[in-house]
Amino acid sequence: MPSLDDLLHAAVTGVGGTERPGQVEMAHAVADAVESGEHLLVQAGTGTGKSLAYLVPAVQHAMDTGKTAIVATATLALQAQIVDRDMPRLAEALEPVVGRRPTYALVKGRRNYVCLHKLEGGFPDDDADSLLSVGDVDRAASRLGAEVVRLREWAGETESGDRDELVPGVSERAWRQVSVSAEECLGSRCPMVAECFVERSREAAKDVDVVVTNHSFMAIDAFEGRQMLPEHDVLVVDEGHELVDRVTSTITDELTPGTVRAASKRAGRQADAAEALDDAATLLESVLEPMPEGRLTAVPDALALALGRIRDVARAAQTELKPQQGEEPDGAKQVARAAVEDLFDVSARMLEERELDVVWLSKDPRRGPVLRVAPMSVAMLVRDKVFDERTVVITSATLELGGSFDAVAGTIGLRGEGSPAWRGLDVGSPFEYPKQGIAYVAKHLPPPGRDGTAPETLDEIEALVRAAGGRTLGLFSSMRAAKEATEVMRERLDDTDIVVLCQGEDQISTLVREFAKDPRTCLFGTLSLWQGVDVPGSSCQLVIVDRIPFPRPDDPLASARSQAIARMGGNGFMAVSATHAALRLAQGAGRLIRRGDDRGVVAFLDSRMMTARYAGFLQRSLPPFWPTADRAMVLSALARLDETAPPPLPVAEPARRGLTGALAGTSMGSGSAAPVAAERPVAAERPVAADPPPPASPRTAVTHGHAWTAELDEELRDGVSLGLSLDELAESMEVPSEAVAARLAGLGLEAGRGPTLTFD
């Protein structure tokens, strides 16, 4: 194997770039971490070329050991960049040097793919008025029907079944008609398992060098033991500043009267407990309706009664919905079983009142009262499940706050007693921020209030957008503010050719492409745009930040974390709220300068960026732009940039994908990955793993189409302790023997090995 420097040089040359000191330093740090097993936190500013800095050593390690390296990102945009741009060019550049072409694949959650069995009517409809439940005569009756018609046509052409390939996109309601969750899937009992897009893509990903996935999928794989990712000993987490939020979101549960009623409807005539579930939903609604929004420091007696009723009825429904031995696969029963199991798990979790869990109630205008539960901290969970038994590299442009990695390290379990060894490294950025960008604070504006956007602020947005000639990414602290600004600007800019797009009007990837293609376009939105947009060139020369993105004062998780830190003698505001805001501001401001020739302005419409006592902390988290509060100078600079701006850079359009998630037409984007894998030298061959065992958690234990509960697991253990054989266990539990065998393997048990009587 050539040296790391040789590989990096070949890769950088192959993609038409130039080696940068920070990139070289980071690549060696990643290789050293992989070699030593010491975890690495590396801050690499925009323009460093950090993707190549971790992909090259990851490929080198995979070829040396025969083990796949996993790369997890927070955003779909970065996933697409790695799979569509970085890895194809890297593979082509390294092939002459290493003797074969590096391989790669994209792995996503099941909901991202079309379910062929559902498309053919194998599952009940989610919407009574959908195309799947009405005659052909009604096809044109609704937008939903038209969308599903297009989905059917596309499903017959696509090789990947990946939703991101579908352009223009469809509504979430339409997509639900053709997709299923992991819990609803029939697994190996599905009659179309051989054609399943998910199963084929994961099979194709088993033997590649690099698998690209997202934080949530990686977390589920690590926490719940589903073993959906190939065996690996190296994990790279890009956009690492998002890891805690994505992990927290993954293990946040919610309960509403509507979800209980939906489970009752799905159970229907298949379970006598369905009617009792409907009654339990009414009881829950009567308890939640008069309760105020906010955190529940303890579960009130009336709520405990309602939750206990849901838990008990859901348990009874689980028993009724248990498939009988030899029963044909039934999509409707599987969907019902998944729904009632979720009710059981969530209600039981809320009743446990775990020490670190935070329970709160919110009122949604559409869904009514929503009861949620989430962990106050995921630090120990991440330490035990993510950092154990593999080397982890966490990277981002914003990991270091106040000159230290300690704040971020503490949130992911890398501080305190028993924490694993790790190293922090900042490799800087090649950009000349003071010459390329201006940081403007509109100090003359009134401080933001709670009653919508001030008229003066809307005037400021209009003036800035007009001066820039469009070319504006507007980052707002709420969707309400983004929509309000969109409506007002569309009206006020009617005398120009400037177009204003708003998040929610189409898929974000589609909106970003439209924004990047037309310099007269503005794109307004909220959280997803703060850190998921990469638009280099003249299409983005102004980034507007409407206010400091603190967590909402009534955010239950943020307030619970602040209070916990304050009780320990710390500064809860600085540790939680200010840190959250600093990370968001750094990410948002980082949208402006994406290349060495980019120029522009980041405009902060919140005077507290200069006047508040914490202003210095926030300012130090930003790239070192040239700072000013001179409005006239900023408007003049934007106008000059508009006049001299070069044409926008070409924008790649979505293309069809192959089984591995790679673009169709590339070496990894057509057909199976097996022929490529066969090119491996004998020394690099990796063993073929057996089918993964089912998870230990009964919440996700759907094995061979059979859903396991805690009670069934206990019954299984009792049978083993009695020495029952596999056939005897299957017969007594009325479960297919192959499902019992798989569950035994997942629990580390073996049939027929319990204590037995011996007669001499």
Side-chain angles (χ1 to χ4, degrees), residues 465 472 482 485-491 493 497-502 505 520-524:
V465 170
T472 302
T486 299
E487 292 171 4
V488 172
M489 290 307 116
R490 283 174 176 169
E491 182 178 339
L493 299 171
D497 59 352
I498 295 173
V499 176
V500 183
L501 305 176
C502 187
E505 295 174 341
R520 295 301 175 204
T521 298
C522 303
L523 175 58
F524 290 177

Side-chain angles (χ1 to χ4, degrees), residues 14-144:
V15 302
T18 56
E19 288 185 16
R20 297 158 182 163
Q23 184 184 57
V24 175
E25 184 181 10
M26 178 177 170
H28 279 276
V30 172
D32 290 344
V34 171
E35 180 69 24
S36 67
E38 183 180 63
H39 304 302
L40 175 68
L41 270 61
V42 55
Q43 177 166 287
T46 307
T48 303
K50 69 176 183 294
S51 296
L52 285 184
Y54 61 68
L55 287 173
V56 170
V59 167
Q60 182 185 43
H61 175 73
M63 288 188 160
D64 278 343
T65 64
K67 288 186 178 179
T68 298
I70 307 295
V71 175
T73 76
T75 62
L76 292 173
L78 183 55
Q79 279 185 38
Q81 175 192 313
I82 294 172
V83 174
D84 298 348
R85 189 175 70 187
D86 295 341
M87 278 305 301
R89 295 192 294 179
L90 175 65
E92 184 177 356
L94 293 188
E95 184 176 14
V97 182
V98 298
R100 72 166 177 85
R101 196 179 189 89
T103 56
Y104 54 95
L106 177 65
V107 173
K108 299 180 181 180
R110 196 170 291 273
R111 272 287 189 196
N112 291 282
Y113 298 89
V114 167
C115 171
L116 294 174
H117 188 42
K118 188 165 190 176
L119 204 66
E120 295 301 318
F123 285 84
D125 304 331
D126 288 335
D127 292 290
D129 60 344
S130 74
L131 177 68
L132 301 184
S133 60
V134 297
D136 288 355
V137 177
D138 299 318
R139 285 189 178 189
S142 68
R143 176 186 171 191
L144 178 67

Side-chain angles (χ1 to χ4, degrees), residues 319-567:
T319 302
E320 290 188 81
L321 292 167
K322 183 175 69 172
Q324 304 301 310
Q325 187 170 8
E327 181 182 335
E328 287 295 314
D330 186 334
K333 182 172 283 190
Q334 182 67 24
V335 168
R337 191 160 56 243
V340 298
E341 283 183 358
D342 188 59
L343 291 184
F344 176 83
D345 292 327
V346 176
S347 56
R349 177 182 177 183
M350 290 178 175
L351 284 168
E352 283 182 40
E353 298 188 70
R354 302 172 190 171
E355 183 180 358
L356 286 179
D357 267 356
V358 177
V359 180
W360 72 96
L361 176 66
S362 58
K363 303 290 181 71
D364 186 283
R366 184 175 58 86
R367 304 170 64 202
V370 181
L371 199 60
R372 292 187 175 90
V373 57
M376 185 188 305
S377 169
V378 296
M380 292 302 100
L381 187 62
V382 173
R383 176 194 289 187
D384 294 341
K385 299 295 187 179
V386 175
F387 287 97
D388 190 36
E389 296 184 356
R390 53 183 165 183
T391 302
V392 181
V393 175
I394 309 278
T395 184
S396 169
T398 49
L399 286 180
E400 198 173 25
L401 295 174
S404 171
F405 289 94
D406 286 350
V408 171
T411 63
I412 54 177
L414 293 183
R415 296 184 65 193
E417 184 178 353
S419 60
W422 63 280
R423 175 193 174 201
L425 174 68
D426 181 1
V427 299
S429 171
F431 295 155
E432 297 183 89
Y433 284 109
K435 295 182 179 179
Q436 293 184 243
I438 296 172
Y440 163 59
V441 176
K443 190 179 179 182
H444 61 283
L445 294 179
R450 296 189 179 183
D451 300 324
T453 307
E456 298 92 333
T457 301
L458 292 170
D459 292 341
E460 188 77 8
I461 294 173
E462 180 186 357
L464 290 165
V465 170
R466 283 184 180 274
R471 311 180 190 276
T472 302
L473 178 65
L475 304 177
F476 294 82
S477 55
S478 69
M479 273 310 302
R480 185 182 72 169
K483 290 178 178 178
E484 180 185 5
T486 299
E487 292 171 4
V488 172
M489 290 307 116
R490 283 174 176 169
E491 182 178 339
R492 293 192 184 184
L493 299 171
D494 188 50
D495 61 329
T496 72
D497 59 352
I498 295 173
V499 176
V500 183
L501 305 176
C502 187
Q503 181 179 344
E505 295 174 341
D506 204 327
Q507 292 187 100
I508 287 179
S509 56
T510 303
L511 292 172
V512 171
R513 278 196 303 275
E514 293 303 310
F515 172 54
K517 285 191 291 188
D518 183 1
R520 295 301 175 204
T521 298
C522 303
L523 175 58
F524 290 177
T526 183
L527 183 62
S528 299
L529 303 186
W530 283 77
Q531 41 91 52
V533 175
D534 183 17
V535 179
S538 61
S539 290
C540 183
Q541 294 188 334
L542 171 62
V543 174
I544 292 177
V545 177
D546 72 328
R547 64 193 298 165
I548 297 171
F550 291 123
R552 287 177 44 175
D554 58 352
D555 182 284
L557 276 179
S559 59
R561 290 164 178 164
S562 294
Q563 292 167 14
I565 291 170
R567 284 195 298 270

